[in-house]
């Protein structure tokens, strides 16, 4: 039997997405590359542990979950986290950003300055702009200000991102319209922390980086991996954790977070054999901008 590979995450580099594997192995992904792997018969998806430690229970986890962690390891993983608001004493500077994922899908968030735009690539932001930078708590207070005053969310489900991504405007200027308006409204608000340095509106577009220009619309998304199943397709685009794979049935989106916890082996054929479901329909038009 072929040696099983254990998925360790997808990272975005200057050259594009890279699949990471336990043991430090890397698989750079390029447009046109065939992505093909299978799940061994009789295998199970097990908890990936937390903070570099294996799960002490070797617990089995559901195939459709994105975190691939049992309840114990999930709590441990979030126990010292900026995202979970459990890390308030980080002395490093942070940026506040506005990210746009498609029509009607914009959010506010924060990321460490040292990470550059990596966080935006990992989230699948089609375009974004910085709003300001400063200490962690000042960045967090600014994020809360926008949520309360402008009703801008700090999270958008990936299903909504995929739906919005299916109908992108043709030009970078059109794609930046919503965050341009939001940036102006945010700058006009009072109550900004004095320690946060505002940033001008300078939109960054990722359509080219993600390879989304001229890509056929996706016809479905992988719901989960299963023992004995396989995924096979030509990569035509990628955004955040999502790979857009051209299969015999059309373009199918694979959220690579579904790979975590499985032992993956080379696929024996070119045909996919995993549960595939429809994409979420695009959100209805809103009365206001947000």
């Amino acid at each position: 039997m072929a040696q099983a590979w254990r998925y360790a995450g997808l990272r975005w580099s200057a050259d594009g997405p890279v699949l990471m594997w336990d043991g430090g192995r890397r698989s750079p992904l390029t447009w046109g590359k065939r992505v093909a792997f299978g799940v061994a018969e009789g295998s199970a998806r097990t908890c990936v542990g937390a903070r570099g430690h294996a799960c002490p229970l070797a617990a089995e986890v559901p195939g459709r979950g994105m975190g691939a962690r049992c309840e114990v390891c999930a709590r441990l993983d979030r126990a010292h986290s900026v995202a979970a608001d459990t890390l308030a004493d980080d002395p490093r500077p942070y940026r506040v950003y506005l990210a746009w994922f498609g029509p009607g899908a914009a959010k506010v968030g924060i990321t460490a300055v040292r990470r550059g735009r990596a966080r935006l690539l990992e989230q699948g932001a089609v375009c974004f702009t910085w709003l300001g930078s400063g200490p962690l708590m000042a960045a967090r207070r600014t994020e809360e200000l926008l949520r309360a005053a402008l009703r801008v969310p700090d999270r958008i489900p990936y299903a909504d991102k995929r739906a919005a991504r299916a109908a992108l405007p043709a030009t970078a200027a059109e794609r930046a319209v919503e965050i341009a308006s939001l940036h102006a409204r945010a700058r006009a608000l009072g109550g900004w922390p004095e320690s946060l340095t505002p940033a001008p509106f300078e939109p960054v577009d990722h359509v080219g980086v993600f390879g989304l220009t001229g890509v056929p619309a996706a016809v479905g998304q992988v719901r989960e991996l299963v023992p004995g199943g396989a995924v096979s397709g030509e990569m035509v685009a990628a955004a955040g954790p999502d790979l857009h794979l051209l299969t015999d049935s059309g373009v199918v989106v694979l959220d690579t977070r579904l790979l975590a916890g499985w032992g993956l082996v080379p696929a024996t054929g070119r045909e996919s054999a995993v549960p595939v479901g429809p994409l979420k329909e695009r959100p209805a038009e809103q009365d206001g901008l947000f």
Side-chain angles (χ1 to χ4, degrees), residues 40-280:
E41 290 279 6
S43 60
R45 191 185 195 197
T46 56
C47 175
V48 297
R51 302 194 171 278
H53 300 284
C55 175
L57 305 175
E60 188 170 335
V61 294
R64 295 189 183 183
M66 296 301 172
R69 289 187 173 92
C70 67
E71 292 183 6
V72 173
C73 290
R75 285 196 299 270
L76 177 61
D77 191 63
R78 295 179 66 83
H80 198 60
S81 164
V82 170
D85 279 334
T86 55
L87 176 61
D89 57 352
D90 189 341
R92 296 170 297 185
Y94 277 77
R95 282 184 173 133
V96 187
Y97 62 81
L98 296 168
W100 185 85
F101 301 89
K107 61 158 282 189
V108 60
I110 68 173
T111 185
V113 168
R114 64 180 178 82
R115 298 208 66 209
R117 61 173 177 163
R119 179 66 176 151
L120 287 305
L121 292 166
E122 291 166 1
Q123 292 187 59
V126 173
C127 69
F128 80 94
T129 184
W130 302 120
L131 191 58
S133 60
L136 172 59
M137 295 313 296
R140 185 62 87 194
R141 286 197 297 272
T142 305
E143 181 185 46
E144 290 296 325
L145 175 65
L146 266 66
R147 289 177 59 193
L150 301 182
R151 295 167 55 195
V152 184
D154 64 347
R155 287 180 174 82
I156 295 180
Y158 275 95
D160 291 344
K161 294 179 185 180
R162 294 179 193 116
R165 197 189 304 151
L168 298 178
T171 68
E174 292 174 295
R175 293 190 288 270
V177 166
E178 289 186 52
I179 56 170
S181 175
L182 186 55
H183 186 280
R185 294 169 63 199
R187 291 293 295 117
L189 290 173
W192 277 53
E194 292 183 0
S195 57
L196 193 92
T197 303
F201 178 66
E202 295 177 345
V204 178
D205 193 270
H206 285 156
V207 162
V209 177
F210 291 156
L212 294 172
T213 303
V215 173
V219 299
Q221 60 185 341
V222 175
R223 296 173 64 87
E224 63 179 317
L225 303 187
V226 294
V231 172
S232 180
E234 176 187 328
M235 198 179 85
V236 294
D242 292 346
L243 305 184
H244 290 231
L245 304 177
L246 180 60
T247 71
D248 294 339
S249 303
V251 174
V252 172
V253 177
L254 169 66
D255 187 330
T256 53
R257 294 176 298 171
L258 292 171
L259 277 58
W262 290 104
L264 304 177
V265 297
T268 56
R270 295 176 60 88
E271 186 174 346
S272 294
V274 291
V276 174
L279 293 172
K280 182 176 180 178

